[in-house]
Amino acid sequence: MKRKKIAYLFYLIMILAGFGLVTQLFGNTRGFLTSMFMMLGFAVAIFALLYFLVNRSRGSSDEMKKYKQAVKQSKSKYNQAAPKKPAHVPTINKKAATARKGKKRPTHLRVIEGNKSKEKDRATF
């Protein structure tokens, strides 16, 4: 019940404000437009002041410059365009091509040969 009263009060205030704007517009047009432009000017001035204060406090710190440089390097490294294929592609034996695909080894791993026969069997200790 209390919410309905608040809603009716809100609607009544909105209707009175609209009525006041219309009467001010038709009764004192020059004063109405002057006050509207002044409010708009103050709003823009306050917004600009806050915007520049916030941006200056953030600023372009040394860390931000380093971050932007790192992003630029990363993009140049990972966003390279795919190389164009040559017009003439030599024919490859299909069996050899499929055999190589199945047994591809990771390039970052390699086998180190050592003297395994000379080592002691550690399981017997």
Side-chain angles (χ1 to χ4, degrees), residues 87-102:
H88 180 314
V89 178
T91 58
I92 300 173
N93 187 1
K94 289 184 180 179
K95 287 183 180 180
T98 57
R100 259 189 281 148
K101 280 187 179 179

Side-chain angles (χ1 to χ4, degrees), residues 67-80:
Y67 172 74
K68 287 181 181 179
Q69 180 66 26
V71 168
K72 187 177 179 182
Q73 286 178 354
S74 178
K75 283 183 179 180
S76 67
K77 182 177 180 181
Y78 293 113
N79 290 343
Q80 294 176 351

Side-chain angles (χ1 to χ4, degrees), residues 26-112:
F26 290 119
N28 186 8
T29 305
R30 186 174 179 186
F32 175 75
L33 292 177
T34 304
S35 64
M36 283 295 155
F37 284 126
M38 285 181 63
M39 281 192 290
L40 184 65
F42 282 127
V44 168
I46 291 172
F47 175 76
L49 182 68
L50 291 175
Y51 179 77
F52 288 121
L53 285 176
V54 169
N55 271 351
R56 188 172 55 174
S57 67
R58 265 195 272 168
S60 63
S61 66
D62 190 40
E63 291 178 11
M64 185 57 78
K65 288 179 186 177
K66 289 178 183 178
Y67 172 74
K68 287 181 181 179
Q69 180 66 26
V71 168
K72 187 177 179 182
Q73 286 178 354
S74 178
K75 283 183 179 180
S76 67
K77 182 177 180 181
Y78 293 113
N79 290 343
Q80 294 176 351
K84 294 182 180 178
K85 293 182 180 179
H88 180 314
V89 178
T91 58
I92 300 173
N93 187 1
K94 289 184 180 179
K95 287 183 180 180
T98 57
R100 259 189 281 148
K101 280 187 179 179
K103 293 188 177 188
K104 189 173 183 179
R105 293 189 327 192
T107 58
H108 66 283
L109 301 176
R110 66 186 171 116
V111 176
I112 300 173

